[in-house]
Amino acid sequence: MNKRLLRVLSSSDIILEVLDARFPDLTRIPAIERYAKKKGKGLIFVLNKVDLVPKEYAENWKKLLQKEAPTVFVSTKKRWGTRILRKTIRGLTEKRPLYVGIVGYPNVGKSSLVNVLVGRHAAGVSPKPGFTRGEQLLKLSKGVYLVDTPGVVDSKDETLLLLVGGKDPSRAKHPELAAHVLLTNLHAMGELPFKDLEEYAQHKGFLMKGGEPDTRRAAIDLIRRFQRGEIGKSYEWMKELKV
Ligand SMILES: Nc1nc2c(ncn2[C@@H]2O[C@H](COP(=O)(O)OP(=O)(O)OP(=O)(O)O)[C@@H](O)[C@H]2O)c(=O)[nH]1
Ligand SMILES: [Mg+2]
């Protein structure tokens, strides 16, 4: 765990673990959940980006996750679920002042969540001593404060990070592996006609000087389209990626 993450965790009574509703299990962070349990901190699963999945899919995940911690659907994009989330936070404990921290993988929507939760009340207040700039507390409601810098978890598994949208593919060392896994699965489900990256590169006209297919460029393009939700309608196959 990095320092910022530890700071967010240790200064919070309640931890909002933001998960991507498309692949909740792959964006869970066991180390954080263990920490929360050990320190007696409240944990809430926030399934963000529910606008990108069918209702039934989200409901199935909720049923499973709910057994471990309160689970709330959110779409910061559509502004769904924020009222229920506030209510869930308030209902978890009577403790006031109550400090709430947000953690999660890169790109799951932590900053967006801060913005929708705080909204126009966004004012940096610091009732807690020792908070420096950028680590102020934002008022959520009476006596409830949000630690304003989310804690980011970085996975060392680049392929997984690329597929769950936690890394910009153009900055990846080896985007081809993730793209290969993605393409193979989408092809098997009949969602893409191309059987390998070469074919995809050729189709896109991504060629190198000698006319060879540019598979790196093809991989970056394919992963980017998947991250944006332009391709890939089901995510069940991703369960296999869990280590
Ligand atoms: N479709 C959809 N996209 C969302 C939603 N919430 C956030 N996003 C998009 O997801 C991307 C990442 O959002 P951020 O709020 O920056 O995510 P973050 O977790 O703070 O990311 P890092 O700061 O990089 O760790 C942005 O492109 C958002 O527009 C949502 O509910 N639905
Ligand atoms: Mg952010």
Side-chain angles (χ1 to χ4, degrees):
M1 285 197 218
N2 59 47
K3 267 192 188 155
R4 174 154 64 134
L5 183 59
L6 272 175
R7 234 166 20 224
V8 173
L9 289 175
S10 61
S11 55
S12 307
D13 303 304
I14 290 184
I15 295 160
L16 305 184
E17 186 178 358
V18 185
L19 309 177
D20 190 312
R22 293 172 290 177
F23 14 79
D25 55 341
L26 292 174
T27 42
R28 280 179 70 174
I29 308 134
I32 287 182
E33 295 171 19
R34 279 197 300 273
Y35 178 95
K37 208 168 184 181
K38 194 170 114 200
K39 304 274 181 177
K41 302 194 182 248
L43 178 73
I44 297 175
F45 292 131
V46 179
L47 254 66
N48 187 37
K49 310 197 185 183
V50 280
D51 56 289
L52 296 177
V53 296
K55 194 159 187 263
E56 207 193 333
Y57 180 86
E59 290 289 352
N60 282 339
W61 271 114
K62 187 173 173 178
K63 252 185 247 157
L64 280 175
L65 294 168
Q66 201 68 276
K67 292 179 189 158
E68 298 185 53
T71 304
V72 182
F73 293 150
V74 168
S75 166
T76 63
K77 191 175 175 184
K78 309 254 182 197
R79 301 192 162 250
W80 295 340
T82 51
R83 227 177 46 185
I84 295 180
L85 180 56
R86 284 166 195 281
K87 216 174 129 190
T88 309
I89 293 169
R90 281 199 306 269
L92 218 54
T93 167
E94 304 267 287
K95 179 188 177 288
R96 299 292 183 272
L98 184 65
Y99 300 105
V100 181
I102 294 183
V103 297
Y105 265 93
N107 214 42
V108 290
K110 299 175 300 299
S111 299
S112 308
L113 184 64
V114 172
N115 290 337
V116 296
L117 280 179
V118 179
R120 61 195 154 82
H121 308 294
V125 290
S126 45
K128 219 181 180 184
F131 269 75
T132 51
R133 237 178 102 78
E135 287 171 2
Q136 299 161 330
L137 295 172
L138 304 166
K139 193 171 174 183
L140 265 188
S141 63
K142 196 160 177 280
V144 184
Y145 298 94
L146 198 64
V147 179
D148 90 337
T149 321
V152 188
V153 177
D154 240 319
S155 167
K156 287 189 179 68
D157 183 343
E158 185 177 74
T159 297
L160 180 63
L161 212 49
L162 285 169
L163 292 174
V164 300
K167 185 171 187 135
D168 177 351
S170 66
R171 301 178 72 182
K173 274 199 204 92
H174 308 292
E176 289 92 344
L177 177 58
H180 174 72
V181 173
L182 176 61
L183 191 142
T184 309
N185 279 283
L186 295 190
H187 181 70
M189 290 184 295
E191 289 187 33
L192 272 187
F194 319 102
K195 66 175 190 317
D196 54 39
L197 273 179
E198 270 92 12
E199 252 186 55
Y200 183 69
Q202 247 140 15
H203 167 79
K204 287 289 226 173
F206 296 159
L207 303 175
M208 295 191 292
K209 274 201 190 110
E212 288 286 299
D214 186 342
T215 51
R216 182 182 163 85
R217 191 168 164 210
I220 292 170
D221 183 77
L222 193 73
I223 295 166
R224 193 166 279 151
R225 287 175 64 201
F226 180 66
Q227 288 187 347
R228 289 181 183 154
E230 292 167 16
I231 52 169
K233 288 189 273 298
S234 61
Y235 306 99
E236 300 288 349
W237 59 273
M238 291 180 73
K239 279 189 186 152
E240 289 172 25
L241 300 170
K242 201 173 172 185
V243 276

